[in-house]
Amino acid sequence: MAASPARADAPAPRREPSILDVAREAGVSAQTVSRVATGKDVVRAATRERVVDAMRRLGYRPNGAARALKAGRYRSIGVIMFSLSTYGNMRTLEAIAAEATAAGYSLTLIPLDAATQGSVSGAFARLSEESVDGIVIIIEAHRLNESELVLPSGMPVVVLDSSAEYDLPVIDTDQAQGARLATEHLLDLGHRTVWHVAGPDESFSAQRRHDSWEKTLRAHGAPVPEPIVGDWSAESGRAAGELISRIPEATAVFAANDQMALGVMHALHAAGRSVPGDVSVVGFDDMPEAATFWPALTTIRQHFDRVGAAALQALVASIEGSPADRSDLVATELIVRASSGPPPA
C-alpha cells in the first residue's frame, strides 16, 4: 500500500537554534558564542551581553558539555568492561555505580565483546566524545599491557583486576591470598595434595590463583598435580569433575570460582563419589547461592563491594586533584562450610 502524500499545509518540524543562528543574530563569530557559552575565555562585557540577549531571543540553550566545561567537570565517569557475564564483574560494577551515585557522578558503560587493542582504543575514543571526567577499566586479559595499550593523555584512569604495570591506581582483590587460604585449608585438613580447576588462560585472576595454589603446594612439600583448565562456567567444572572422579587419589579440589566448583560437585555426585566424604571441594567468590549448594560450599569470599568502592574513590580523588598514585589489594576471607573435610581413612 502506497504511503499517503504529505499534506502541503502540514507544519515543518521545529528546528532547535544552533550556535551559528546565535552568531548571526548577535553579529559575532561562532567562536565568540562558544566562548560565552563555556565561560572559558574572556569576552568583552558588551559583546557578552549582546550574545546572551541573542541566545534569549532565539531560545538557544548551551548543551550539557558546554555547561560542564564552564563548571570545570562533567560529573560523569566512564567504565570500560570486558565480560558482563561473570558474577564478579557484575558485583563490582554494582559497587562502582552505587559509589558514583553517592559522589554525585553518573556512569557511561561500554562493554567489550573482545579484549583487543582496537576495541579498547575505540572505547576510549567513544568515552572522550561522551565527555567523561575519568575512566575505570575492568579488564582481565593478558593481551592488554602497558607497551600496547595507549591510555588517554590527561584523563584520570583506574584499573581493576590487572597485572599490567601502569603508572596509575590499580585496585584488585588479593587473588594470591585467597588461593593460598583455600589450598592451606585443604592441606591442614590432612589431604596429601590439592587438585586445581583453573580459570581460562587469558585471565589475570585465574593466573594469579593458579600461581598461588602451586606456590603453596610447593611450600608445604606437597605434589603439584596437573591443573585442569575451565572457562568459569559450571559446565566446564562438570567436565573437570568427571576427570577428577576417575582419579582415586584425588581427595581435594580447589576450583577457581564457585560456578566451576558447582560443576565439579555435580560430576562427583553423578560418579558416586561423596562430597566431602570422598572428595573435598573449595570454590572462590562466595556467590549468594554458594551457601545453598549440596553440600554448602566452602569458598573464598571476595569483597566486590570494597573493590568497586575503592576504585571509584581513587578515581574521584584523582579527578578532584588528589595524587593518583594509590593502589590497593582488598583482602579475601575463607568461608568454611560443609563441602570440605578430612580425607577418607
Side-chain angles (χ1 to χ4, degrees):
M1 180 177 177
S4 300
R7 289 177 50 189
D9 60 345
R14 182 178 181 272
R15 183 177 69 86
E16 291 293 328
S18 70
I19 196 169
L20 292 176
D21 296 327
V22 175
R24 282 191 293 268
E25 180 75 11
V28 298
S29 68
Q31 186 178 25
T32 298
V33 176
S34 177
R35 288 171 177 168
V36 172
T38 62
K40 289 186 69 67
D41 292 290
V42 176
V43 177
R44 287 190 303 172
T47 303
R48 179 181 298 278
E49 185 176 351
R50 195 161 72 249
V51 171
V52 171
D53 286 343
M55 288 179 177
R56 188 179 299 113
R57 287 195 301 273
L58 295 176
Y60 174 79
R61 293 176 297 175
N63 61 30
R67 291 193 297 271
L69 281 172
K70 184 176 181 180
R73 288 200 296 271
Y74 299 99
R75 308 299 298 183
S76 179
I77 288 169
V79 178
I80 299 174
M81 188 177 204
F82 174 57
S83 179
L84 289 171
S85 62
T86 64
Y87 170 73
N89 280 359
M90 289 307 300
R91 286 293 310 278
T92 303
L93 180 60
E94 289 173 3
I96 290 172
E99 192 70 21
T101 299
Y105 285 80
S106 62
L107 286 187
T108 298
L109 172 65
I110 298 186
L112 302 182
D113 294 329
T116 64
Q117 300 304 311
S119 62
V120 174
S121 298
F124 277 131
R126 287 175 58 189
L127 287 174
S128 295
E129 293 175 357
E130 294 288 339
S131 302
V132 299
D133 297 304
I135 297 175
V136 177
I137 310 175
I138 307 176
I139 298 289
E140 53 173 45
H142 290 296
R143 289 187 295 273
L144 302 181
N145 59 49
E146 187 176 16
S147 64
E148 297 173 332
L149 180 59
V150 178
L151 300 178
S153 176
M155 176 78 73
V157 175
V158 171
V159 177
L160 270 73
D161 196 24
S162 171
S163 290
E165 295 296 328
Y166 296 112
D167 186 21
L168 46 81
V170 177
I171 312 295
D172 195 9
T173 293
D174 193 339
Q175 311 287 349
Q177 179 219 21
R180 176 178 56 79
L181 290 174
T183 307
E184 287 183 340
H185 168 67
L186 291 166
L187 293 175
D188 290 344
L189 287 170
H191 294 275
R192 177 171 173 266
T193 190
V194 178
W195 292 72
H196 183 45
V197 181
D201 292 336
E202 66 270 16
S203 166
F204 282 126
S205 297
Q207 187 64 56
R208 286 195 293 274
R209 295 171 199 179
H210 168 276
D211 291 347
S212 181
W213 158 79
E214 181 175 342
K215 181 179 179 180
T216 302
L217 289 181
R218 294 190 186 283
H220 285 76
V224 181
E226 186 70 23
I228 303 171
V229 179
D231 62 6
W232 299 129
S233 70
E235 177 57 28
S236 69
R238 185 195 61 77
E242 288 180 349
L243 293 175
I244 292 169
S245 71
R246 297 194 289 270
I247 304 173
E249 63 270 25
T251 64
V253 179
F254 164 45
N257 76 337
D258 289 349
Q259 288 173 306
M260 292 194 298
L262 173 62
V264 168
M265 291 199 297
H266 178 88
L268 291 172
H269 288 314
R273 299 192 70 182
S274 69
V275 178
D278 296 321
V279 183
S280 290
V281 178
V282 175
F284 201 111
D285 281 342
D286 195 28
M287 57 193 298
E289 298 83 0
T292 59
F293 286 2
W294 176 57
L297 182 66
T298 296
T299 187
I300 299 299
R301 176 175 294 168
Q302 292 199 75
H303 295 282
F304 299 108
D305 54 340
R306 298 179 189 173
V307 172
L312 203 285
Q313 289 165 7
L315 185 62
V316 169
S318 180
I319 290 169
E320 297 182 352
S322 296
D325 57 358
R326 172 189 174 189
S327 293
D328 194 8
L329 284 180
V330 178
T332 60
E333 182 181 357
L334 173 67
I335 306 298
V336 179
R337 297 192 180 103
S339 69
S340 60

